[in-house]
Amino acid sequence: MRITFLGTAGPDQIPSPYCDCPTCSYAREHRGRNLRKRCCYLINDDLLVDMGADLMAACSMHNVHLMNMKYALVTHSHHDHFYVHNLSLRKLGFQQRKELPPLTFVAPPSVMTLLDVSGMKDEAAGLQRRPVLPYDSMDLPPYSIKAIKATHLPTIGDAVNYVIDDGKNKVLIASDTAVYKDEVWPHLADLELDQLIIECAVGTNTQFKAGQTRHLSMDGVQIMLAKMKEINAITDQTAVCATHFTHKHCPPHDEMIAILQKIGVECAYDGLVLEF
């Protein structure tokens, strides 16, 4: 399995154009891996997880195309995870293909509602909808997918994370979420993930403790890892990578690397490719 990080930031990217905090100012000056677009992940070359407002630019910057995309999984309806115009630009007339290959579009009901109100026609974009709720499973060959209930804003009650299994490797993309509720853990027991991608949006901010309602701080990440080891969701061989950083709570990239290394976690950056 190959995972390409097309973005690793929260909803207002790094640097935010409306902010001059130390992290944003440092990113403007030093650029490189300090520049972060909104989160998006490409599995191999045929499965996309989330498609926020930076998708088009991200593909150009990281030498990625979506010509082979068969499946798109969306976690929830916030704009940094789903930007409907990414799909409207897929339709014939914006490309030179004479036929539009089908795209299986998997998302919770709140995302499907955004599609409905956009006025875009599924046929025009080649969409085949597959609504999903927490704990639903489905086969998207060669992948087996399971939706896990995320601990996100109560107003986004159908937000999910995804376990993706290609028959050889298993990855859980755990973003956006705070510490999982008790009902979630039985669904992860004995999973023995090969890769865990986990958010760390609140970073080192000591005012935010694990159990916040929508995102993870460093202590929340540690609680998640400890619980996952306890139930054998992850093992000593599981690779762990953090993402979804915010400029308000997270330092520049090199500092974040040092902080995460202390707990055995890799720090993602835009354009990072994981192969395992």
Side-chain angles (χ1 to χ4, degrees), residues 7-18:
T8 58
D12 45 356
Q13 71 183 34
I14 299 176
S16 166
Y18 302 108

Side-chain angles (χ1 to χ4, degrees), residues 21 24 41 104 129 134 152 230-231 236 264-265 268:
C21 73
C24 288
Y41 316 90
T104 300
R129 297 197 198 193
H152 203 38
E230 178 186 328
I231 64 173
D236 291 339
V265 175

Side-chain angles (χ1 to χ4, degrees), residues 53-122:
D54 298 324
L55 176 62
M56 298 294 180
C59 289
S60 296
M61 293 175 66
H62 302 299
N63 194 26
V64 165
H65 66 76
L66 302 177
M67 299 286 285
N68 299 322
M69 182 172 60
K70 297 178 181 177
Y71 312 114
L73 313 181
V74 175
T75 56
H76 64 295
S77 55
H78 284 157
H79 78 276
D80 53 324
H81 296 267
F82 180 60
Y83 185 63
V84 69
H85 295 296
N86 288 323
L87 292 176
S88 64
L89 291 172
R90 187 177 185 270
K91 64 186 180 182
L92 293 177
F94 288 100
Q95 51 183 289
Q96 294 195 19
R97 289 185 176 187
K98 295 182 179 180
E99 295 183 6
L100 194 61
L103 173 63
T104 300
F105 184 78
V106 179
S110 61
V111 174
M112 298 301 186
T113 298
L114 286 181
L115 265 181
D116 290 339
V117 300
S118 74
M120 191 193 72
K121 303 299 183 183
D122 290 3

Side-chain angles (χ1 to χ4, degrees), residues 122-247:
D122 290 3
E123 183 178 357
L127 291 191
Q128 297 176 348
R129 297 197 198 193
R130 293 284 298 272
V132 70
L133 291 172
Y135 314 124
D136 283 352
S137 297
M138 65 179 67
D139 288 327
L140 303 175
Y143 307 101
S144 296
I145 310 295
K146 180 161 185 175
I148 300 296
K149 184 175 178 60
T151 305
H152 203 38
L153 288 172
T155 51
I156 310 293
D158 59 3
V160 296
N161 295 162
Y162 291 105
V163 177
I164 301 166
D165 183 347
D166 70 352
K168 297 179 180 179
N169 302 111
K170 287 178 284 189
V171 59
L172 167 61
I173 300 180
S175 174
D176 294 12
T177 187
V179 173
Y180 287 148
K181 302 297 185 183
D182 288 345
E183 68 184 77
V184 174
W185 299 117
H187 295 272
L188 299 176
D190 296 318
L191 202 55
E192 295 187 345
L193 293 165
D194 297 285
Q195 178 76 54
L196 170 63
I197 296 172
I198 190 166
E199 75 140 84
C200 191
V202 190
T204 58
N205 192 325
T206 57
Q207 297 178 359
F208 287 80
K209 299 301 181 183
Q212 65 266 27
T213 60
R214 51 188 174 177
H215 291 293
L216 289 170
S217 54
M218 280 292 297
D219 53 354
V221 170
Q222 290 175 277
I223 287 176
M224 289 274 276
L225 295 181
K227 182 64 178 180
M228 287 185 182
K229 286 182 178 178
E230 178 186 328
I231 64 173
N232 203 35
I234 61 175
T235 69
D236 291 339
Q237 284 71 50
T238 303
V240 183
C241 189
T243 186
H244 202 275
F245 303 109
T246 57
H247 60 94

